[in-house]
């Protein structure tokens, strides 16, 4: 009987770990989010693009109007493209214009970082820093493009 409970506890622990947010490895930790998200600039084969504090590419969703997250209203969208969250003042790294950084409220609570009025996202399956293989992905009725230092799309 003891083995059954031990096995069940192990399975439950595995499930809890597996269901952790996809952005846990790439996004900001809770401590870092409390201090505010950092947005940096990184050179790639596509040109200079915005990345988060861990160096992961940041994206714009072409369906989003200025200062509004529409991904949150689409089933499974945020599971694949988590919002870049912050609970403090955002920080601009070298080459990033602090005046273009802001944040918007998210429906379930918390805040999402915006750049030039456009909500920023991370691709959940991203495994390499400054990866550009997902730039131009067409999912959830729109395109996911990288972001330049001026807030423009990088395709």
């Amino acid at each position: 009987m003891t083995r059954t409970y031990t096995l069940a506890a192990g399975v439950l622990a595995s499930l809890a770990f597996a269901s952790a947010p996809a952005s846990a490895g790439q996004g900001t930790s809770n401590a870092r989010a409390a201090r505010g998200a950092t947005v940096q600039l990184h050179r790639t084969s596509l040109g200079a693009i915005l990345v988060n504090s861990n160096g992961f590419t940041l994206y714009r969703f072409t369906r989003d109007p200025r200062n509004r997250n529409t991904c949150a209203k689409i089933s499974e969208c945020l599971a694949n493209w988590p919002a870049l969250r912050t609970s403090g003042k955002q920080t601009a790294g070298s080459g990033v214009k602090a005046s273009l950084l802001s944040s918007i409220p998210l429906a379930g609570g918390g805040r999402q970082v915006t750049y030039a009025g456009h909500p920023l996202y991370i691709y959940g399956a991203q495994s390499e820093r400054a990866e550009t293989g997902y730039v131009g992905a067409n999912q959830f009725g729109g395109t996911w493009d990288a972001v330049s230092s001026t807030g423009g799309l990088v395709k």
Side-chain angles (χ1 to χ4, degrees):
M1 192 75 119
T2 303
R3 289 184 188 181
T4 304
Y5 290 120
T6 304
L7 178 61
V11 169
L12 288 174
S14 296
L15 289 173
F17 179 75
S19 65
S23 63
Q26 302 114 18
T28 56
S29 69
N30 287 339
R32 183 169 286 141
R35 292 190 306 263
T38 298
V39 176
Q40 303 172 15
L41 198 60
H42 191 281
R43 292 224 170 265
T44 69
S45 60
L46 298 177
I49 60 171
L50 298 183
V51 297
N52 70 2
S53 60
N54 292 332
F56 289 96
T57 303
L58 296 173
Y59 295 86
R60 274 181 47 186
F61 186 37
T62 58
R63 283 189 60 181
D64 284 344
R66 290 180 58 81
N67 295 312
R68 204 166 111 225
N69 174 327
T70 59
C71 179
K73 297 178 181 176
I74 302 169
S75 178
E76 298 301 313
C77 188
L78 285 178
N80 291 289
W81 298 93
L84 178 61
R85 293 174 165 265
T86 190
S87 61
K89 184 165 174 50
Q90 304 76 263
T91 303
S94 180
V96 176
K97 298 177 184 176
S99 62
L100 297 181
L101 278 171
S102 190
S103 66
I104 57 173
L106 289 168
R111 300 194 66 79
Q112 180 175 10
V113 177
T114 63
Y115 195 73
H118 302 285
L120 297 177
Y121 302 85
I122 302 164
Y123 182 55
Q126 206 169 189
S127 61
E128 300 291 324
R129 286 170 169 45
E131 194 168 342
T132 59
Y134 303 103
V135 173
N138 192 350
Q139 290 182 322
F140 302 103
T143 304
W144 299 86
D145 293 308
V147 185
S148 74
S149 64
T150 62
L153 298 175
V154 177
K155 300 179 179 193

